[in-house]
Amino acid sequence: MRKILSSIIICCISTVIYAQSFDQERIALAKFIERMYNNSPFEGCRIVDDYDNSYLLSIVELDKSKYKTASVMNRVAQVKSQRNAGEFFNGTQSYSEITIRTPKSKEKGGAEMSEVYEIIRANSTGFVQQLALLSSFINNNGLIIFIFYKKVN
């Protein structure tokens, strides 16, 4: 009975320790990338080598004032990061177009209100999956920086 109980406790402790070490690696990587970005800002994709692994980074800058909700902004960042990774790996051709509509509002007494639509079209030969959000922060210009990453073999 003691052997079974001790083996269960050891399994639980080893699982907790492994889960914490993965989180610590991810936090260390996020801090490293933020320092690297603050020293020389860039947007797009890069391959970064760690001691044991290589990572594909996709960095996206977005202006918070252009998006109504955080979920819309997160989705746009995800789509743009996948587009960047597709261009980096497969030579995907993508086109981005911004449309500004100014309909007259009856509620505001006929005043024009602007609505901004961003349309992203892609012609790709492949698709890059498994990009995960590593971190997001606000840079010196007030833009929100999203860092997506994927482990590369």
Side-chain angles (χ1 to χ4, degrees), residues 116-134:
V116 178
Y117 299 97
E118 186 168 1
I119 301 168
I120 301 171
R121 294 187 180 117
N123 181 15
S124 66
T125 56
F127 184 69
V128 178
Q129 293 179 342
Q130 301 173 346
L131 283 172
L133 180 64
L134 178 65

Side-chain angles (χ1 to χ4, degrees), residues 2-148:
R2 287 183 183 177
K3 288 181 182 180
I4 294 173
L5 185 60
S6 63
S7 64
I8 291 173
I9 290 173
I10 289 173
C11 288
C12 291
I13 290 172
S14 65
T15 304
V16 169
I17 291 172
Y18 178 73
Q20 289 177 351
S21 69
F22 174 75
D23 195 35
Q24 293 298 328
E25 290 175 14
R26 188 173 171 202
I27 290 170
L29 178 64
K31 288 181 180 180
F32 171 71
I33 301 303
E34 286 182 29
R35 283 194 311 268
M36 185 174 78
Y37 179 85
N38 288 330
N39 285 337
S40 62
F42 66 94
E43 187 176 9
C45 286
R46 280 193 182 176
I47 299 285
V48 174
D49 293 324
D50 194 359
Y51 292 109
D52 298 329
N53 302 310
S54 295
Y55 299 98
L56 168 72
L57 298 179
S58 180
I59 309 251
V60 177
E61 298 177 351
L62 294 179
D63 186 6
K64 188 176 182 178
S65 64
K66 291 183 180 179
Y67 303 99
K68 293 180 182 178
T69 63
S71 63
V72 171
M73 185 171 50
N74 289 335
R75 180 65 181 143
V76 169
Q78 183 180 15
V79 168
K80 284 187 174 187
S81 70
Q82 287 177 346
R83 181 191 67 189
N84 289 343
E87 288 175 0
F88 185 78
F89 275 125
N90 306 320
T92 301
Q93 297 175 354
S94 60
Y95 309 96
S96 181
E97 140 188 354
I98 296 177
T99 305
I100 300 174
R101 254 184 44 182
T102 55
K104 291 188 177 182
S105 173
K106 293 180 182 178
E107 298 170 356
K108 301 276 183 175
E112 293 185 355
M113 297 177 61
S114 63
E115 295 177 355
V116 178
Y117 299 97
E118 186 168 1
I119 301 168
I120 301 171
R121 294 187 180 117
N123 181 15
S124 66
T125 56
F127 184 69
V128 178
Q129 293 179 342
Q130 301 173 346
L131 283 172
L133 180 64
L134 178 65
S135 178
S136 63
F137 61 95
I138 299 174
N139 71 356
N140 298 335
N141 299 333
L143 298 175
I144 297 182
I145 309 302
F146 290 91
I147 303 172
F148 290 88

